Amino acid sequence: MSSRVLISIVTYNSARYLQSCLDSVSDQTFRDFSISLWDNASTDGTREIIARNGKLIGFSHMSAENVGFCAAHNRLIASADFDYVLVLNPDVVLDRSFLEALITAMDEDG
């Protein structure tokens, strides 16, 4: 396990939202996370955004077909060993301290 948290993102034609989502993840105060991203055969520029953010995204898969939202997340999650998984939609923008607050609460509850 290299990070405590896996952030799993599945995209499909999410170009108008994805950069803001990735920027908000990049800006987190809690830093012990990895991003895995699955693209479901986007045709709108999503893949170019993924390529530009290669240093931030630990693993990305560009699917030739749309395998569906749940199947894609299941594949990303099954291949990982993390304490926690955050399934994140590409149109979400996180507050800077979101992960820190979430992990603190989860650790206290555990």
Side-chain angles (χ1 to χ4, degrees):
M1 177 178 54
S2 58
S3 299
R4 291 203 60 212
V5 179
L6 169 64
I7 299 175
S8 178
I9 303 173
V10 173
T11 64
Y12 175 71
N13 289 339
S14 304
R16 69 179 166 159
Y17 306 111
L18 184 57
Q19 189 61 59
S20 295
C21 176
L22 292 173
D23 289 345
S24 75
V25 171
S26 177
D27 200 30
Q28 290 298 297
T29 56
F30 181 88
R31 303 300 307 161
D32 195 7
F33 64 85
S34 294
I35 299 172
S36 289
L37 191 144
W38 184 287
D39 182 71
N40 269 325
S42 291
T43 59
D44 71 340
T46 295
R47 290 180 176 210
E48 290 80 5
I49 294 169
I50 294 167
R52 282 197 312 263
N53 288 275
K55 288 184 179 183
L56 175 62
I57 301 167
F59 170 81
S60 61
H61 178 81
M62 305 303 168
S63 182
E65 63 180 331
N66 189 334
V67 299
F69 181 79
C70 292
H73 275 297
N74 287 341
R75 291 174 187 180
L76 291 173
I77 294 166
S79 66
D81 180 25
F82 296 86
D83 291 342
Y84 303 111
V85 176
L86 175 61
V87 174
L88 190 62
N89 286 2
D91 61 348
V92 171
V93 173
L94 301 174
D95 289 334
R96 266 190 101 235
S97 60
F98 178 84
L99 281 179
E100 184 175 357
L102 180 67
I103 300 309
T104 299
M106 296 292 286
D107 284 347
E108 290 174 358
D109 191 49

